Protein backbone atom coordinates (compact mmCIF):
# COMPACT_ATOMS: atom_id res chain seq x y z
CA UNK A 1 0.00 0.00 0.00
CA UNK A 2 1.25 3.51 -0.87
CA UNK A 3 0.64 5.86 2.05
CA UNK A 4 -0.16 9.56 1.96
CA UNK A 5 3.38 10.52 2.98
CA UNK A 6 4.78 8.89 -0.17
CA UNK A 7 2.31 10.73 -2.42
CA UNK A 8 3.19 14.00 -0.70
CA UNK A 9 6.88 13.31 -1.22
CA UNK A 10 6.38 12.56 -4.93
CA UNK A 11 4.23 15.65 -5.54
CA UNK A 12 6.56 18.04 -3.74
CA UNK A 13 9.71 16.59 -5.32
CA UNK A 14 8.23 17.13 -8.78
CA UNK A 15 7.36 20.75 -8.01
CA UNK A 16 10.80 21.46 -6.54
CA UNK A 17 12.70 19.69 -9.32
CA UNK A 18 10.74 21.29 -12.15
CA UNK A 19 10.75 20.38 -15.83
CA UNK A 20 14.01 18.97 -17.26
CA UNK A 21 15.63 20.46 -20.35
CA UNK A 22 13.65 19.44 -23.42
CA UNK A 23 14.22 18.84 -27.09
CA UNK A 24 11.07 20.37 -28.52
CA UNK A 25 9.24 18.15 -30.99
CA UNK A 26 6.01 18.36 -32.93
CA UNK A 27 3.46 16.45 -30.86
CA UNK A 28 0.12 18.16 -31.61
CA UNK A 29 -1.43 17.14 -28.28
CA UNK A 30 -3.74 19.84 -26.88
CA UNK A 31 -3.40 20.91 -23.27
CA UNK A 32 -7.11 21.70 -23.16
CA UNK A 33 -9.75 19.12 -24.07
CA UNK A 34 -13.43 18.80 -23.09
CA UNK A 35 -13.76 18.03 -19.41
CA UNK A 36 -14.82 14.50 -18.50
CA UNK A 37 -12.33 13.16 -21.09
CA UNK A 38 -8.79 11.97 -20.45
CA UNK A 39 -5.97 12.40 -22.94
CA UNK A 40 -4.19 9.08 -23.51
CA UNK A 41 -0.65 9.16 -24.90
CA UNK A 42 0.44 5.79 -26.26
CA UNK A 43 3.48 4.44 -28.04
CA UNK A 44 6.48 2.14 -27.77
CA UNK A 45 8.80 2.12 -24.80
CA UNK A 46 11.36 4.96 -24.78
CA UNK A 47 9.87 6.73 -27.78
CA UNK A 48 9.53 9.99 -25.86
CA UNK A 49 6.11 9.78 -24.16
CA UNK A 50 7.45 11.07 -20.84
CA UNK A 51 9.16 14.04 -22.45
CA UNK A 52 6.02 14.71 -24.46
CA UNK A 53 4.21 15.00 -21.13
CA UNK A 54 6.92 17.37 -19.89
CA UNK A 55 6.52 19.43 -23.08
CA UNK A 56 2.79 19.65 -22.42
CA UNK A 57 3.45 20.73 -18.83
CA UNK A 58 5.90 23.35 -20.11
CA UNK A 59 3.17 24.72 -22.40
CA UNK A 60 0.71 24.77 -19.48
CA UNK A 61 3.23 26.71 -17.38
CA UNK A 62 3.06 29.60 -19.87
CA UNK A 63 -0.28 30.50 -18.29
CA UNK A 64 -0.18 29.05 -14.80
CA UNK A 65 2.00 27.74 -11.97
CA UNK A 66 3.73 24.36 -11.81
CA UNK A 67 1.85 23.90 -8.54
CA UNK A 68 -1.32 23.34 -10.56
CA UNK A 69 0.21 20.25 -12.17
CA UNK A 70 1.01 16.79 -10.83
CA UNK A 71 3.30 14.34 -12.62
CA UNK A 72 3.70 10.72 -11.46
CA UNK A 73 5.71 7.99 -13.21
CA UNK A 74 4.42 4.55 -12.29
CA UNK A 75 7.67 2.88 -13.30
CA UNK A 76 9.31 4.22 -10.13
CA UNK A 77 10.66 1.40 -7.98
CA UNK A 78 8.98 2.82 -4.89
CA UNK A 79 5.59 2.61 -6.64
CA UNK A 80 5.93 -1.05 -7.59
CA UNK A 81 2.77 -2.93 -6.70
CA UNK A 82 0.62 0.18 -6.47
CA UNK A 83 -3.11 -0.54 -6.67
CA UNK A 84 -5.96 1.54 -8.02
CA UNK A 85 -7.31 2.12 -4.52
CA UNK A 86 -3.95 3.67 -3.53
CA UNK A 87 -4.44 6.37 -6.16
CA UNK A 88 -7.45 7.85 -4.38
CA UNK A 89 -5.14 9.72 -2.01
CA UNK A 90 -3.19 11.59 -4.72
CA UNK A 91 -5.56 14.53 -5.18
CA UNK A 92 -6.49 14.59 -1.48
CA UNK A 93 -2.83 14.92 -0.50
CA UNK A 94 -2.30 17.56 -3.19
CA UNK A 95 -5.08 19.75 -1.73
CA UNK A 96 -3.65 19.25 1.76
CA UNK A 97 -0.36 20.69 0.47
CA UNK A 98 -2.02 23.45 -1.59
CA UNK A 99 -5.41 24.24 -0.01
CA UNK A 100 -5.42 27.57 -1.85
CA UNK A 101 -5.76 25.67 -5.16
CA UNK A 102 -9.03 23.91 -4.38
CA UNK A 103 -10.97 26.17 -6.73
CA UNK A 104 -8.31 26.21 -9.46
CA UNK A 105 -7.85 23.87 -12.41
CA UNK A 106 -5.52 20.91 -11.89
CA UNK A 107 -3.61 19.05 -14.61
CA UNK A 108 -2.86 15.45 -13.58
CA UNK A 109 -0.23 13.47 -15.54
CA UNK A 110 -0.08 9.70 -14.92
CA UNK A 111 2.88 8.17 -16.80
CA UNK A 112 3.03 4.42 -17.66
CA UNK A 113 -0.35 3.95 -16.03
CA UNK A 114 -0.69 0.39 -17.36
CA UNK A 115 1.49 -0.72 -14.43
CA UNK A 116 -1.49 -0.12 -12.12
CA UNK A 117 -4.20 -2.78 -12.16
CA UNK A 118 -7.70 -1.36 -12.66
CA UNK A 119 -6.27 2.12 -13.23
CA UNK A 120 -9.29 3.05 -15.34
CA UNK A 121 -11.58 3.02 -12.28
CA UNK A 122 -9.50 5.77 -10.70
CA UNK A 123 -9.31 7.82 -13.90
CA UNK A 124 -13.09 7.68 -14.33
CA UNK A 125 -13.50 8.85 -10.74
CA UNK A 126 -11.14 11.79 -11.22
CA UNK A 127 -12.80 12.78 -14.49
CA UNK A 128 -16.04 13.21 -12.59
CA UNK A 129 -14.34 15.61 -10.18
CA UNK A 130 -14.43 19.36 -10.73
CA UNK A 131 -11.91 20.96 -13.10
CA UNK A 132 -9.26 18.21 -13.24
CA UNK A 133 -7.67 17.47 -16.62
CA UNK A 134 -6.14 13.98 -16.80
CA UNK A 135 -3.33 12.84 -19.07
CA UNK A 136 -2.31 9.18 -19.11
CA UNK A 137 0.47 7.40 -20.97
CA UNK A 138 1.40 3.80 -21.61
CA UNK A 139 3.55 1.49 -23.70
CA UNK A 140 0.69 -0.73 -24.75
CA UNK A 141 -1.85 -0.26 -27.49
CA UNK A 142 -4.34 -1.71 -24.99
CA UNK A 143 -4.68 1.87 -23.84
CA UNK A 144 -6.17 2.54 -27.26
CA UNK A 145 -8.07 -0.56 -28.24
CA UNK A 146 -8.98 -2.87 -25.40
CA UNK A 147 -8.90 -1.25 -21.99
CA UNK A 148 -10.13 2.19 -22.99
CA UNK A 149 -12.78 0.94 -25.40
CA UNK A 150 -14.29 -1.34 -22.78
CA UNK A 151 -13.54 0.45 -19.51
CA UNK A 152 -13.35 4.14 -20.30
CA UNK A 153 -16.49 4.04 -22.49
CA UNK A 154 -15.35 6.65 -24.97
CA UNK A 155 -14.09 9.06 -22.36
CA UNK A 156 -10.63 9.55 -23.85
CA UNK A 157 -8.88 11.26 -26.72
CA UNK A 158 -5.88 9.19 -27.86
CA UNK A 159 -2.60 10.43 -29.33
CA UNK A 160 0.27 8.26 -30.54
CA UNK A 161 3.94 9.09 -29.86
CA UNK A 162 6.48 7.31 -32.06
CA UNK A 163 10.28 7.66 -32.18
CA UNK A 164 11.61 10.95 -33.54
CA UNK A 165 10.55 11.95 -37.04
CA UNK A 166 13.19 13.16 -39.49
CA UNK A 167 12.17 16.74 -38.66
CA UNK A 168 12.76 16.01 -34.96
CA UNK A 169 16.11 14.47 -35.88
CA UNK A 170 17.17 17.59 -37.78
CA UNK A 171 16.09 19.66 -34.79
CA UNK A 172 18.33 17.59 -32.50
CA UNK A 173 21.22 18.01 -34.94
CA UNK A 174 20.46 21.75 -35.18
CA UNK A 175 20.01 21.65 -38.94
CA UNK A 176 17.64 24.35 -40.18
CA UNK A 177 16.49 23.78 -43.73
CA UNK A 178 14.76 26.55 -45.66
CA UNK A 179 11.77 26.08 -47.95
CA UNK A 180 13.98 26.32 -51.03
CA UNK A 181 17.20 24.56 -49.99
CA UNK A 182 20.45 25.23 -51.83
CA UNK A 183 22.52 22.43 -53.36
CA UNK A 184 24.78 22.50 -50.31
CA UNK A 185 21.76 22.22 -47.99
CA UNK A 186 20.40 19.34 -50.06
CA UNK A 187 23.70 17.51 -49.70
CA UNK A 188 23.53 18.01 -45.93
CA UNK A 189 19.95 16.77 -45.89
CA UNK A 190 20.84 13.59 -47.77
CA UNK A 191 23.79 12.97 -45.46
CA UNK A 192 21.61 13.35 -42.35
CA UNK A 193 18.83 11.31 -43.92
CA UNK A 194 21.20 8.43 -44.63
CA UNK A 195 22.28 8.40 -40.97
CA UNK A 196 18.68 8.61 -39.80
CA UNK A 197 17.54 5.89 -42.22
CA UNK A 198 20.10 3.48 -40.78
CA UNK A 199 20.13 4.56 -37.14
CA UNK A 200 16.43 5.15 -36.60
CA UNK A 201 14.61 7.68 -34.47
CA UNK A 202 14.80 6.53 -30.85
CA UNK A 203 15.67 9.73 -28.94
CA UNK A 204 18.41 8.21 -26.77
CA UNK A 205 20.07 6.51 -29.75
CA UNK A 206 20.21 9.86 -31.57
CA UNK A 207 21.41 11.96 -28.66
CA UNK A 208 24.00 9.40 -27.53
CA UNK A 209 24.95 8.24 -31.02
CA UNK A 210 28.29 6.69 -29.98
CA UNK A 211 26.36 4.19 -27.85
CA UNK A 212 23.59 3.76 -30.43
CA UNK A 213 23.83 0.00 -30.94
CA UNK A 214 23.98 -0.73 -27.20
CA UNK A 215 20.99 1.52 -26.56
CA UNK A 216 18.95 -0.12 -29.34
CA UNK A 217 19.82 -3.60 -28.05
CA UNK A 218 18.75 -2.54 -24.56
CA UNK A 219 15.45 -1.12 -25.83
CA UNK A 220 14.79 -4.36 -27.73
CA UNK A 221 15.62 -6.58 -24.75
CA UNK A 222 13.58 -4.45 -22.33
CA UNK A 223 10.59 -4.47 -24.69
CA UNK A 224 10.79 -8.24 -25.10
CA UNK A 225 11.32 -9.17 -21.47
CA UNK A 226 9.41 -6.53 -19.56
CA UNK A 227 6.64 -5.58 -21.96
CA UNK A 228 6.04 -8.97 -23.56
CA UNK A 229 7.36 -11.86 -21.44
CA UNK A 230 6.41 -10.43 -18.05
CA UNK A 231 3.18 -8.74 -19.08
CA UNK A 232 1.85 -11.71 -21.04
CA UNK A 233 3.44 -14.39 -18.80
CA UNK A 234 5.14 -16.10 -21.74
CA UNK A 235 7.01 -19.25 -20.79
CA UNK A 236 8.42 -20.43 -24.10
CA UNK A 237 11.07 -17.72 -24.38
CA UNK A 238 13.11 -19.63 -26.97
CA UNK A 239 10.10 -19.78 -29.28
CA UNK A 240 9.39 -16.07 -28.79
CA UNK A 241 12.98 -15.14 -29.67
CA UNK A 242 12.92 -17.28 -32.80
CA UNK A 243 9.65 -15.65 -33.82
CA UNK A 244 11.02 -12.14 -33.25
CA UNK A 245 14.11 -12.94 -35.32
CA UNK A 246 11.93 -14.27 -38.13
CA UNK A 247 9.64 -11.21 -38.00
CA UNK A 248 12.60 -8.82 -38.15
CA UNK A 249 14.04 -10.75 -41.09
CA UNK A 250 10.63 -10.40 -42.77
CA UNK A 251 10.58 -6.60 -42.50
CA UNK A 252 8.82 -5.09 -45.55
CA UNK A 253 7.91 -8.60 -46.70
CA UNK A 254 4.97 -10.95 -46.28
CA UNK A 255 5.03 -13.22 -43.23
CA UNK A 256 3.20 -16.51 -42.84
CA UNK A 257 2.61 -17.89 -39.35
CA UNK A 258 1.69 -21.21 -40.98
CA UNK A 259 5.10 -21.46 -42.68
CA UNK A 260 6.88 -20.44 -39.48
CA UNK A 261 4.90 -23.06 -37.57
CA UNK A 262 5.99 -25.75 -40.04
CA UNK A 263 9.60 -24.60 -39.68
CA UNK A 264 9.39 -24.76 -35.87
CA UNK A 265 8.09 -28.33 -36.06
CA UNK A 266 11.22 -29.41 -37.98
CA UNK A 267 13.41 -28.06 -35.15
CA UNK A 268 11.64 -30.14 -32.51
CA UNK A 269 10.38 -27.08 -30.61
CA UNK A 270 6.87 -27.63 -29.30
CA UNK A 271 4.46 -24.89 -30.24
CA UNK A 272 0.87 -24.32 -31.19
CA UNK A 273 -0.40 -21.97 -33.86
CA UNK A 274 -2.57 -20.33 -31.22
CA UNK A 275 0.53 -19.46 -29.18
CA UNK A 276 2.24 -18.01 -32.24
CA UNK A 277 -0.77 -15.84 -33.06
CA UNK A 278 -0.86 -14.70 -29.43
CA UNK A 279 2.86 -13.83 -29.51
CA UNK A 280 2.41 -11.79 -32.69
CA UNK A 281 -0.55 -9.99 -31.10
CA UNK A 282 1.57 -9.22 -28.02
CA UNK A 283 4.42 -7.82 -30.12
CA UNK A 284 1.93 -5.68 -32.01
CA UNK A 285 0.31 -4.59 -28.75
CA UNK A 286 3.60 -3.15 -27.45
CA UNK A 287 4.28 -1.40 -30.79
CA UNK A 288 7.27 -3.58 -31.72
CA UNK A 289 5.85 -4.81 -35.03
CA UNK A 290 3.01 -3.78 -37.31
CA UNK A 291 1.38 -6.37 -39.58
CA UNK A 292 0.00 -4.60 -42.68
CA UNK A 293 -2.92 -6.33 -44.39
CA UNK A 294 -3.62 -6.50 -48.10
CA UNK A 295 -6.39 -4.24 -49.32
CA UNK A 296 -9.68 -5.86 -50.25
CA UNK A 297 -13.22 -4.59 -50.47
CA UNK A 298 -14.05 -7.77 -48.54
CA UNK A 299 -13.16 -7.37 -44.85
CA UNK A 300 -12.85 -11.14 -44.41
CA UNK A 301 -10.51 -11.50 -47.36
CA UNK A 302 -8.32 -8.65 -46.11
CA UNK A 303 -8.06 -10.10 -42.61
CA UNK A 304 -7.20 -13.55 -43.96
CA UNK A 305 -4.47 -12.23 -46.27
CA UNK A 306 -0.78 -12.65 -45.51
CA UNK A 307 0.42 -9.50 -43.72
CA UNK A 308 3.56 -7.60 -44.57
CA UNK A 309 5.64 -6.93 -41.46
CA UNK A 310 7.03 -3.57 -40.45
CA UNK A 311 9.19 -2.87 -37.37
CA UNK A 312 8.88 0.17 -35.12
CA UNK A 313 12.33 1.60 -35.89
CA UNK A 314 14.98 1.17 -38.57
CA UNK A 315 17.71 1.08 -35.93
CA UNK A 316 16.34 -2.24 -34.71
CA UNK A 317 16.58 -3.57 -38.27
CA UNK A 318 20.18 -2.48 -38.79
CA UNK A 319 21.48 -3.93 -35.52
CA UNK A 320 19.92 -7.21 -36.65
CA UNK A 321 21.75 -7.15 -39.96
CA UNK A 322 19.01 -5.70 -42.19
CA UNK A 323 20.86 -3.14 -44.29
CA UNK A 324 19.21 -3.29 -47.71
CA UNK A 325 18.37 0.26 -48.75
CA UNK A 326 15.07 -0.72 -50.36
CA UNK A 327 13.75 -2.44 -47.24
CA UNK A 328 15.00 0.28 -44.91
CA UNK A 329 13.34 3.04 -46.89
CA UNK A 330 10.06 1.08 -47.15
CA UNK A 331 9.97 0.32 -43.42
CA UNK A 332 10.76 3.95 -42.69
CA UNK A 333 8.00 5.27 -44.95
CA UNK A 334 5.47 2.94 -43.32
CA UNK A 335 6.32 4.35 -39.87
CA UNK A 336 6.07 7.90 -41.23
CA UNK A 337 2.64 7.16 -42.73
CA UNK A 338 1.63 5.75 -39.35
CA UNK A 339 2.93 8.92 -37.67
CA UNK A 340 0.79 10.99 -40.04
CA UNK A 341 -2.28 9.00 -39.01
CA UNK A 342 -2.92 7.47 -42.42
CA UNK A 343 -5.16 4.45 -43.00
CA UNK A 344 -2.80 2.07 -44.80
CA UNK A 345 -2.90 -1.24 -46.67
CA UNK A 346 -0.79 -2.80 -49.37
CA UNK A 347 -2.26 -3.94 -52.66
CA UNK A 348 -1.70 -7.01 -54.80
CA UNK A 349 -3.56 -7.53 -58.07
CA UNK A 350 -4.90 -10.84 -59.35
CA UNK A 351 -1.73 -11.23 -61.45
CA UNK A 352 0.51 -10.47 -58.42
CA UNK A 353 1.47 -6.91 -59.31
CA UNK A 354 2.05 -5.15 -56.00
CA UNK A 355 1.74 -1.61 -54.66
CA UNK A 356 3.61 -0.95 -51.43
CA UNK A 357 1.12 1.43 -49.82
CA UNK A 358 -2.53 2.16 -50.49
CA UNK A 359 -3.92 5.14 -48.59
CA UNK A 360 -7.60 5.17 -47.70
CA UNK A 361 -9.69 8.20 -46.79
CA UNK A 362 -13.38 7.92 -45.88
CA UNK A 363 -13.61 4.42 -47.37
CA UNK A 364 -12.15 5.56 -50.68
CA UNK A 365 -8.74 4.79 -52.16
CA UNK A 366 -7.01 8.18 -51.99
CA UNK A 367 -3.45 7.47 -53.08
CA UNK A 368 -1.17 4.68 -54.32
CA UNK A 369 2.51 4.82 -53.34
CA UNK A 370 5.44 2.76 -54.54
CA UNK A 371 8.80 2.85 -52.80
CA UNK A 372 12.08 2.32 -54.63
CA UNK A 373 15.49 3.43 -53.43
CA UNK A 374 16.73 3.68 -57.01
CA UNK A 375 15.10 3.56 -60.44
CA UNK A 376 18.39 3.37 -62.35
CA UNK A 377 17.64 -0.21 -63.35
CA UNK A 378 15.02 -0.13 -66.13
CA UNK A 379 13.47 -3.43 -64.98
CA UNK A 380 12.96 -2.04 -61.49
CA UNK A 381 11.26 1.06 -62.87
CA UNK A 382 9.03 -1.04 -65.14
CA UNK A 383 7.98 -3.25 -62.22
CA UNK A 384 7.09 -0.30 -59.98
CA UNK A 385 5.20 1.51 -62.76
CA UNK A 386 3.27 -1.61 -63.85
CA UNK A 387 2.15 -2.17 -60.25
CA UNK A 388 0.83 1.39 -60.02
CA UNK A 389 -0.93 1.28 -63.40
CA UNK A 390 -2.57 -2.06 -62.64
CA UNK A 391 -3.82 -0.87 -59.23
CA UNK A 392 -4.92 2.47 -60.70
CA UNK A 393 -7.13 0.65 -63.18
CA UNK A 394 -8.51 -1.82 -60.60
CA UNK A 395 -9.21 0.78 -57.92
CA UNK A 396 -10.04 3.87 -60.01
CA UNK A 397 -7.33 5.94 -58.35
CA UNK A 398 -5.19 8.39 -60.32
CA UNK A 399 -3.13 9.82 -57.46
CA UNK A 400 0.06 7.86 -58.19
CA UNK A 401 3.44 8.40 -56.53
CA UNK A 402 6.84 6.73 -56.42
CA UNK A 403 9.12 7.76 -53.54
CA UNK A 404 12.82 7.41 -54.37
CA UNK A 405 16.08 8.33 -52.71
CA UNK A 406 16.89 11.34 -54.87
CA UNK A 407 15.01 11.24 -58.19
CA UNK A 408 12.35 13.82 -58.92
CA UNK A 409 10.07 14.23 -61.88
CA UNK A 410 6.66 13.67 -63.37
CA UNK A 411 5.85 11.31 -66.22
CA UNK A 412 2.71 10.47 -68.14
CA UNK A 413 2.59 6.75 -68.85
CA UNK A 414 -0.33 5.11 -70.65
CA UNK A 415 -2.46 8.15 -69.94
CA UNK A 416 -1.67 8.17 -66.21
CA UNK A 417 0.39 10.86 -64.49
CA UNK A 418 2.98 9.46 -62.07
CA UNK A 419 4.83 11.72 -59.63
CA UNK A 420 8.39 10.81 -58.63
CA UNK A 421 9.52 12.50 -55.43
CA UNK A 422 12.75 12.28 -53.38
CA UNK A 423 12.34 10.93 -49.86
CA UNK A 424 13.70 14.09 -48.22
CA UNK A 425 11.17 16.27 -49.99
CA UNK A 426 8.28 13.93 -49.17
CA UNK A 427 9.32 14.10 -45.52
CA UNK A 428 9.90 17.83 -45.19
CA UNK A 429 7.35 19.28 -47.62
CA UNK A 430 4.29 17.32 -46.54
CA UNK A 431 1.95 18.89 -49.05
CA UNK A 432 4.03 17.20 -51.78
Amino acid sequence: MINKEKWGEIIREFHERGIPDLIEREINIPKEVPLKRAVSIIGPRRSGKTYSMFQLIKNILKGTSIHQTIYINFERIDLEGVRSEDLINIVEVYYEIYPQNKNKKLWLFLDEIQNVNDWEKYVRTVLDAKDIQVFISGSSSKLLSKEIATSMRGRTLTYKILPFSFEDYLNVKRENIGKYPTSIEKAKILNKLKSYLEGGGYPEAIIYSKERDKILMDITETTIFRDVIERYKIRNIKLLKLLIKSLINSAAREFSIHKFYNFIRTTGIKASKTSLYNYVDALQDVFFIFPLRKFSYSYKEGEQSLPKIYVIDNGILTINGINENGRLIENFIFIELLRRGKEINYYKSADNKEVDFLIMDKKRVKQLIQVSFSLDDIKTKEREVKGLLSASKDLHCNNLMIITWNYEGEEKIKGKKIKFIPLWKWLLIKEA
Side-chain angles (χ1 to χ4, degrees):
M1 181 176 178
I2 308 300
N3 59 35
K4 295 175 73 173
E5 285 74 17
K6 172 57 68 176
W7 292 129
E9 174 189 314
I10 290 171
I11 292 168
R12 293 200 61 190
E13 282 181 353
F14 167 64
H15 291 158
E16 290 172 10
R17 187 171 57 246
I19 306 299
D21 292 334
L22 300 172
I23 296 172
E24 295 281 339
R25 63 187 297 190
E26 186 178 354
I27 55 174
N28 296 320
I29 302 173
K31 65 181 182 180
E32 299 281 358
V33 300
L35 288 177
K36 312 302 181 184
R37 283 180 179 264
V39 171
S40 61
I41 303 171
I42 64 172
R45 180 177 291 275
R46 285 154 76 174
S47 59
K49 297 185 301 299
T50 295
Y51 273 74
S52 295
M53 281 190 157
F54 288 151
Q55 189 170 323
L56 279 165
I57 295 171
K58 184 178 178 180
N59 290 337
I60 290 167
L61 297 188
K62 293 175 182 176
T64 189
S65 163
I66 194 172
H67 299 119
Q68 285 179 245
T69 67
I70 300 174
Y71 168 82
I72 299 171
N73 189 331
F74 288 98
E75 292 211 315
R76 291 174 57 129
I77 293 176
D78 54 359
L79 290 182
E80 191 170 339
V82 64
R83 300 169 301 176
S84 61
E85 50 265 38
D86 296 330
L87 306 183
I88 295 296
N89 288 326
I90 295 173
V91 174
E92 181 180 340
V93 169
Y94 166 80
Y95 285 129
E96 287 179 7
I97 299 172
Y98 304 105
Q100 68 274 22
N101 289 347
K102 281 190 176 181
N103 293 319
K104 296 179 181 179
K105 182 162 184 173
L106 173 64
W107 284 267
L108 177 61
F109 291 81
L110 307 174
D111 200 358
E112 298 294 354
I113 190 66
Q114 80 281 347
N115 290 316
V116 182
N117 289 330
D118 297 326
W119 57 268
E120 60 271 24
K121 294 179 182 178
Y122 172 72
V123 172
R124 287 202 308 269
T125 300
V126 172
L127 288 175
D128 290 330
K130 182 182 178 181
D131 226 6
I132 299 179
Q133 180 65 65
V134 182
F135 295 80
I136 58 177
S137 86
S139 300
S140 167
S141 62
K142 280 186 176 181
L143 283 178
L144 172 64
S145 59
K146 300 172 186 175
E147 292 176 4
I148 282 184
T150 57
S151 304
M152 294 297 292
R153 301 186 187 95
R155 299 184 66 181
T156 62
L157 296 174
T158 302
Y159 297 85
K160 193 179 282 126
I161 295 294
L162 299 174
F164 277 173
S165 68
F166 184 54
E167 285 182 284
D168 294 327
Y169 176 83
L170 291 178
N171 189 29
V172 172
K173 299 299 181 181
R174 301 186 186 281
E175 290 285 350
N176 297 313
I177 306 299
K179 186 172 182 180
Y180 302 105
T182 65
S183 58
I184 294 175
E185 286 177 326
K186 286 180 184 178
K188 286 183 179 180
I189 292 172
L190 289 175
N191 180 265
K192 296 295 183 186
L193 183 55
K194 182 69 173 173
S195 297
Y196 177 81
L197 192 69
E198 295 173 352
Y202 273 106
E204 286 175 276
I206 292 173
I207 296 167
Y208 306 105
S209 56
K210 291 183 179 179
E211 301 295 324
R212 185 189 74 187
D213 288 2
K214 289 182 180 179
I215 290 169
L216 291 170
M217 288 295 295
D218 178 60
I219 290 172
T220 303
E221 291 295 310
T222 304
T223 299
I224 292 169
F225 283 97
R226 187 160 187 179
D227 291 344
V228 180
I229 292 173
E230 291 182 8
R231 185 180 298 174
Y232 297 94
K233 298 179 174 58
I234 291 174
R235 296 180 181 179
N236 198 337
I237 298 174
K238 184 177 181 180
L239 175 62
L240 176 65
K241 286 191 170 184
L242 280 172
L243 176 63
I244 290 171
K245 183 176 181 180
S246 183
L247 288 165
I248 289 174
N249 287 334
S250 299
R253 294 174 177 169
E254 291 179 349
F255 178 79
S256 168
I257 288 181
H258 178 72
K259 287 183 179 179
F260 180 76
Y261 171 72
N262 288 337
F263 161 73
I264 288 298
R265 290 179 65 184
T266 66
T267 67
I269 297 176
K270 292 184 177 180
S272 68
K273 279 188 184 179
T274 300
S275 293
L276 293 174
Y277 279 111
N278 288 339
Y279 290 0
V280 169
D281 285 346
L283 290 165
Q284 183 180 3
D285 185 46
V286 299
F287 300 96
F288 190 76
I289 59 147
F290 301 87
L292 182 67
R293 295 289 176 179
K294 184 175 75 172
F295 173 80
S296 173
Y297 287 110
S298 165
Y299 175 80
K300 183 178 180 181
E301 183 181 331
E303 287 300 302
Q304 291 178 344
S305 66
L306 284 182
K308 290 177 71 175
I309 298 298
Y310 295 93
V311 178
I312 181 60
D313 188 73
N314 273 17
I316 290 172
L317 296 183
T318 55
I319 64 170
N320 283 280
I322 308 297
N323 52 22
E324 301 166 40
N325 285 327
R327 295 173 69 190
L328 289 177
I329 193 174
E330 184 177 334
N331 191 81
F332 170 52
I333 288 172
F334 171 83
I335 297 300
E336 179 61 26
L337 288 169
L338 196 68
R339 183 180 286 110
R340 295 181 185 184
K342 302 299 184 182
E343 184 181 346
I344 324 164
N345 292 98
Y346 74 95
Y347 182 75
K348 185 177 284 188
S349 65
D351 57 354
N352 282 326
K353 291 186 178 72
E354 187 173 310
V355 173
D356 295 317
F357 300 116
L358 176 153
I359 311 300
M360 295 290 292
D361 183 37
K362 298 177 181 177
K363 297 184 179 181
R364 295 182 62 186
V365 179
K366 181 181 181 181
Q367 187 177 37
L368 298 169
I369 300 174
Q370 292 283 46
V371 178
S372 183
F373 189 84
S374 172
L375 295 174
D376 291 342
D377 180 66
I378 189 64
K379 290 183 179 179
T380 299
K381 184 175 180 180
E382 285 180 355
R383 184 185 67 242
E384 304 294 357
V385 168
K386 283 181 179 179
L388 278 181
L389 295 178
S390 178
S392 175
K393 182 180 178 181
D394 293 346
L395 304 170
H396 308 290
C397 176
N398 294 320
N399 187 356
L400 312 178
M401 178 183 287
I402 298 180
I403 301 175
T404 71
W405 178 247
N406 198 25
Y407 173 67
E408 185 170 10
E410 194 169 278
E411 298 180 24
K412 196 167 187 178
I413 305 173
K414 293 186 178 181
K416 302 285 186 178
K417 185 171 69 175
I418 299 177
K419 186 173 186 177
F420 299 83
I421 185 168
L423 177 61
W424 71 266
K425 181 170 281 192
W426 181 78
L427 290 168
L428 299 180
I429 307 174
K430 292 183 173 62
E431 64 269 22

